Structures are given as C-alpha cells and as structure tokens.
Amino acid sequence: GSAPAVFSVGSAPTPTRMPLLQLLNYIDGRPVASRSTARTEVVDPATGEAYASAPDSGEADVDAAMTAALAAFNSFKRTTPSQRQGFLLKIASAIEAHADELARLECKNCGKPFRLTLDEEIAAAVDQIRFFAGAARQLEGRAAGEYMEGLLSMIVREPVGVCAAVTPWNYPLMMAVWKWAPALAAGNTVVLKPSDTTPVSTLRMAELMGAILP
C-alpha cells in the first residue's frame, strides 16, 4: 500500500515587531523632547497594533509651550491681515502638496479608509484654511460714531493672545484646522493638544506649518 503521510509540526516563527515611531512635542517651530519620561503607545485601530510612542507630557511641557507661544504672540500680533493671509495660503498649499502622506497618517490614526480620508477630510481641511485666509482680510469694527458729544466711539478688533485648544480623536487633523486657522487669521498664537490616541497627523501638520510661520 501507499506509505503513510508524514507531517512535520513545529512552532511558527514569532513575528518581529517593528520599532515604534518615537514622537516628540512640537514647540517654538521645532521638535522638542518632553520634560516627562512617561510615554503612551499609539495604536492603529485597523490592526490593533501599536505603531508609535508619544510623550505623556506634563506641566513643565505645557509651561514651555505657553512661554514660546506668548513670545511669538508679541511679534505675530503686529502682522498685517495681508501677511497672515499669505501664511495661511502657503500652509494650505503645503498641506495640499502632502495630502497623500497626511491621509495615510490619518488612516493610521483613526483606522479610516484612505480614499475617504483624502477626499473628504484632507481636501476639506485645505479649503477651510483658505476660507480663513480670506477672512483674515475681512476683520473690521462694525460700529463707529459720535454717541456722546465731543467723543468718537469705535470698535477695534485686536488679537487676544495665546489660544489653548484641545482636539478629539475622530477628526484629528481637520478639527485642529478648525482651531488654529481662525486663531492665526486673527493674529493670535496657539497651543494645541491633540488627542493622546491620534496625535500623528497633527504633529506632521505642525512641522509643515513651522517651515512657513515666522
């Protein structure tokens, strides 16, 4: 008769885990290591696997970011609407030029389909930045007149200072745009904290912005 089949049974090789992407804070136009040693893993929801490690920043990091933003505000508040419009238009073009890269990062962030993210989120974010670039030149006082004898009254819109913003996990890049774009258009500076589960696309956007903003 035929010889019996022989099966070799052995353990499958253990998959090698890819090194985690080491994220840094972005402060004063450059990546900065956290003052805290604590880290948190960032997980791709589509696979359940960690792919990055982000700093679990603390009070000292917040102080450093606020100090840098306040120093930047002292000069940025004096920029003209035309200058701020120019900055925002350049940022929009930079994001548009890196649309595929940012969409793939957002997919890793949120586990979303690539084409959906590219067409409905990155494209929308670029359009929103361009909207606020136009709005930067439309800021004006809405009332002026002599409401009391010998006195001229008017409304003057001025930057308020450093804006603190927090964004959620579900639309990380686009909701960051909703925070920083109108703030910069009005002459403010921003300290933004992305969700600890989806920081990657926001950090990359900050790098693109840092190459443009003064």
Side-chain angles (χ1 to χ4, degrees):
S2 60
V6 177
F7 298 94
S8 175
V9 179
S11 59
T14 303
T16 302
R17 187 181 185 185
M18 297 294 292
L20 298 181
L21 176 66
Q22 298 298 311
L23 304 177
L24 300 173
N25 291 329
Y26 195 84
I27 299 174
D28 200 17
R30 60 191 176 89
V32 177
S34 172
R35 311 283 180 90
S36 168
T37 58
R39 308 284 297 182
T40 182
E41 288 191 343
V42 182
V43 175
D44 181 347
T47 64
E49 296 291 329
Y51 70 96
S53 172
D56 188 1
S57 299
E59 184 176 343
D61 298 297
V62 175
D63 286 346
M66 292 297 293
T67 298
L70 181 58
F73 174 70
N74 290 331
S75 58
F76 194 71
K77 67 182 180 182
R78 291 191 289 271
T79 56
T80 65
S82 175
Q83 289 173 317
R84 296 195 296 272
Q85 181 189 53
F87 295 143
L88 265 63
L89 290 174
K90 288 179 181 178
I91 291 169
S93 295
I95 291 174
E96 191 170 51
H98 291 81
D100 278 20
E101 175 194 0
L102 290 166
R104 294 188 190 284
L105 291 175
E106 200 74 326
C107 291
K108 295 283 280 186
N109 261 342
C110 304
K112 297 177 181 180
F114 170 75
R115 181 53 58 180
L116 178 71
T117 303
L118 182 67
D119 293 344
E120 298 191 10
E121 294 184 26
I122 307 302
V126 169
D127 183 63
Q128 289 153 9
I129 296 168
R130 288 176 174 148
F131 170 84
F132 286 114
R137 303 189 74 158
Q138 300 298 319
L139 301 175
E140 59 182 16
R142 293 186 177 272
E146 294 187 10
Y147 301 110
M148 296 180 65
E149 184 178 351
L151 297 175
L152 175 65
S153 300
M154 68 180 64
I155 296 173
V156 178
R157 298 187 183 277
E158 296 179 332
V160 298
V162 179
C163 300
V166 178
T167 51
W169 58 269
N170 49 346
Y171 292 92
L173 185 143
M174 188 160 63
M175 288 195 176
V177 166
W178 295 356
K179 304 287 186 179
W180 64 254
L184 294 184
N188 304 294
T189 54
V190 179
V191 172
L192 189 146
K193 179 203 171 294
S195 167
D196 58 350
T197 60
T198 57
V200 178
S201 60
T202 303
L203 283 170
R204 180 61 182 130
M205 180 167 58
E207 292 174 350
L208 296 174
M209 295 169 65
I212 294 166
L213 291 170

